[in-house]
Amino acid sequence: MDKTLRIAPSILSADFARLGEEVHALEAGGADLVHVDVMDNHYVPNLTIGPMVCRAIRPHVTIPIDVHLMVEPVDALAQEFAKAGADLITFHPEASRHVDRTLQAIRDAGCRAGLVLNPATPVGWLDHVMGRLDMVLLMSVNPGFGGQGFIDTALPKLREVRRRIDAHVAAGGQPIWLEIDGGVKVDNIGTIAAAGADTFVAGSAVFGAPDPDGGYRGVIERLRGAAARGKGW
Ligand code: DX5
Ligand code: ZN
């Protein structure tokens, strides 16, 4: 069994005036991915950052940049983020007119691709595209803001998607990461890991608990340790 756990701090809660230093500190602290929340004030009621910022932080880290698009439409921006150095690009399927085509276009641009399901979005969106997915991202808050509380219905949904992924892989399919996003903290990440997630976005939990020297090693280690214990590892 693959015992990899990935911690993906979301820069939504970082100090935007010092983003280069912040992402560098994440990597120095042991983060596995940098999670970039892209909001367009249309698909979600908030506005964050575009491809220029992705391009600006790219030289400050060697770990993959995990771009979470909360935008509608998806296709043109996905291509811009691919050019700006994104490694993974996920989008919300109901925001794309042609989901299969969008997934393929992201992969053709050299990135890994994934779908994001909101708390009320059915897992059936995955049915016919499992072979094109590198990641499934389940939202455990409604998208748009950091610092919200974890919605518990994400737990049975994680178990359901974990079952689907394991069955897909057992039948010879490619590996698919299962990421969770929203309200992940040191005190609930074990339960979330036990439900099947292997990749954990955390924004306020990471940036709200810096080390005395301003780094993030301590909180990233606490998150990883609690997740591993939740898995029984
Ligand atoms: C919400 C974003 C999340 C969010 C996570 O729309 O996708 O990545 O910033 O923040 P926390 O960890 O604070 O819930
Ligand atoms: Zn996100």
Side-chain angles (χ1 to χ4, degrees):
M1 193 209 305
D2 180 7
K3 289 198 171 181
T4 308
L5 294 175
R6 295 169 210 90
I7 306 296
S10 164
I11 60 168
L12 189 60
S13 296
D15 179 353
F16 274 42
R18 304 170 37 250
L19 260 191
E21 289 164 49
E22 291 276 66
V23 295
H24 181 78
L26 294 176
E27 178 161 18
D32 300 285
L33 307 167
V34 176
H35 185 81
V36 173
D37 283 307
V38 179
M39 306 185 187
D40 67 350
N41 191 39
H42 172 68
Y43 178 72
V44 288
N46 198 357
L47 182 64
T48 57
I49 58 181
M52 290 166 68
V53 175
C54 182
R55 183 173 284 111
I57 62 175
R58 180 69 278 179
H60 295 270
V61 280
T62 64
I63 53 177
I65 296 180
D66 170 28
V67 171
H68 173 192
L69 293 179
M70 288 161 274
V71 304
E72 184 176 5
V74 176
D75 289 325
L77 272 173
Q79 293 303 309
E80 291 305 315
F81 274 96
K83 285 188 225 152
D87 295 279
L88 287 115
I89 299 178
T90 60
F91 63 96
H92 292 250
E94 71 279 15
S96 170
R97 186 91 39 109
H98 304 288
V99 172
D100 181 89
R101 177 185 288 155
T102 302
L103 287 168
Q104 193 54 46
I106 291 170
R107 286 174 144 204
D108 287 348
C111 298
R112 284 175 276 163
L115 291 183
V116 192
L117 305 181
N118 285 333
T121 306
V123 298
W125 278 101
L126 306 175
D127 279 349
H128 306 289
V129 292
M130 289 293 280
R132 293 213 194 281
L133 297 175
D134 298 294
M135 178 141 88
V136 174
L137 169 50
L138 295 187
M139 294 304 298
S140 39
V141 297
N142 288 293
F145 302 93
Q148 304 181 78
F150 185 88
I151 296 174
D152 283 330
T153 53
L155 293 171
K157 203 168 175 185
L158 274 171
R159 288 189 279 270
E160 163 69 15
V161 176
R162 169 52 56 201
R163 260 196 305 279
R164 286 177 177 234
I165 291 173
D166 289 350
H168 177 76
V169 171
Q174 81 291 357
I176 301 174
W177 295 358
L178 180 50
E179 187 173 49
I180 186 84
D181 186 358
V184 176
K185 309 283 177 203
V186 173
D187 65 6
N188 64 7
I189 195 171
T191 307
I192 297 165
D198 53 36
T199 305
F200 305 85
V201 177
S204 48
V206 170
F207 289 97
D211 299 336
D213 67 1
Y216 301 107
R217 175 166 296 281
V219 64
I220 290 170
E221 282 177 0
R222 289 193 291 280
L223 286 164
R224 194 188 305 283
R229 282 191 295 281
K231 294 275 193 197
W233 296 348

